[in-house]
Amino acid sequence: MTIIDLEPGDERLISDLLPVLRELRPHLTETLFHEVYREGHGQGLRFTAAYTDDGICAGAARLARRRQYEHAAHAVRRRPGDHRRRTLHRHRQRLLAHLERHARDAGCHHLTLDSGTHRTGAHRFYLRERMDIAAFHFAKELR
């Protein structure tokens, strides 16, 4: 597995990362994604992609400075598809370990993850990795 930090303008942001990010945020358009990253990059926003040995983006993460003294890292994972679950489990563990190191090196105080309520397998993984359920995230569409 290869873990790569992607800079604004990198074509892999759209071809590889955006489909993974849309699993949690289906409203995210290519235009909005570019705007958010261009604006946020100068404030510490970074995106990381984890690639399998076959060159498939298996996971994506966002490291963001949320407030002056509070930092957080967020991660999402691509659904298994035709990849073996055991291999994906190792990729998830390595991506999470990478994020923890990256967050600590950046002076982060928290590592947080958003996960859809239907993703029970992901929840089991996060709990096995000694993460706590610290909050429920509520949303309301205002269209």
Side-chain angles (χ1 to χ4, degrees):
M1 181 173 93
T2 304
I3 298 174
I4 302 170
D5 292 326
L6 301 173
E7 296 293 324
D10 190 315
E11 292 177 5
R12 294 172 293 190
L13 287 167
I14 300 305
S15 63
D16 300 346
L17 204 79
L18 186 58
V20 177
L21 295 175
R22 280 186 176 150
E23 288 188 22
L24 287 181
R25 292 173 176 73
H27 69 281
L28 193 58
T29 65
E30 183 176 334
T31 302
L32 178 59
F33 181 62
H34 278 301
E35 288 174 14
V36 167
Y37 203 16
R38 269 195 302 272
E39 290 176 19
H41 191 266
Q43 300 169 27
L45 176 63
R46 299 293 183 269
F47 283 100
T48 300
Y51 288 89
T52 65
D53 293 337
D54 299 338
I56 296 168
C57 185
R62 163 178 82 111
L63 179 64
R65 182 177 295 238
R66 291 195 326 206
R67 287 188 218 108
Q68 186 173 359
Y69 299 108
E70 180 182 353
H71 312 306
H74 302 267
V76 296
R77 170 186 76 78
R78 181 171 287 246
R79 291 188 184 104
D82 58 354
H83 301 293
R84 293 184 350 186
R85 290 188 185 277
R86 186 174 296 157
T87 301
L88 280 175
H89 181 75
R90 285 194 304 266
H91 289 324
R92 288 184 298 207
Q93 285 178 315
R94 290 181 61 192
L95 179 58
L96 190 57
H98 173 83
L99 290 174
E100 287 182 30
R101 284 190 305 274
H102 201 345
R104 280 191 178 98
D105 291 347
C108 294
H109 304 289
H110 301 94
L111 179 69
T112 61
L113 292 150
D114 285 339
S115 182
T117 56
H118 65 284
R119 301 184 68 229
T120 56
H123 303 159
R124 283 191 295 274
F125 168 75
Y126 300 141
L127 291 170
R128 276 194 310 269
E129 294 298 312
R130 305 178 87 177
M131 297 189 82
D132 297 321
I133 300 171
F136 290 103
H137 177 97
F138 293 90
K140 183 178 186 178
E141 192 166 325
L142 301 175
R143 287 189 188 191

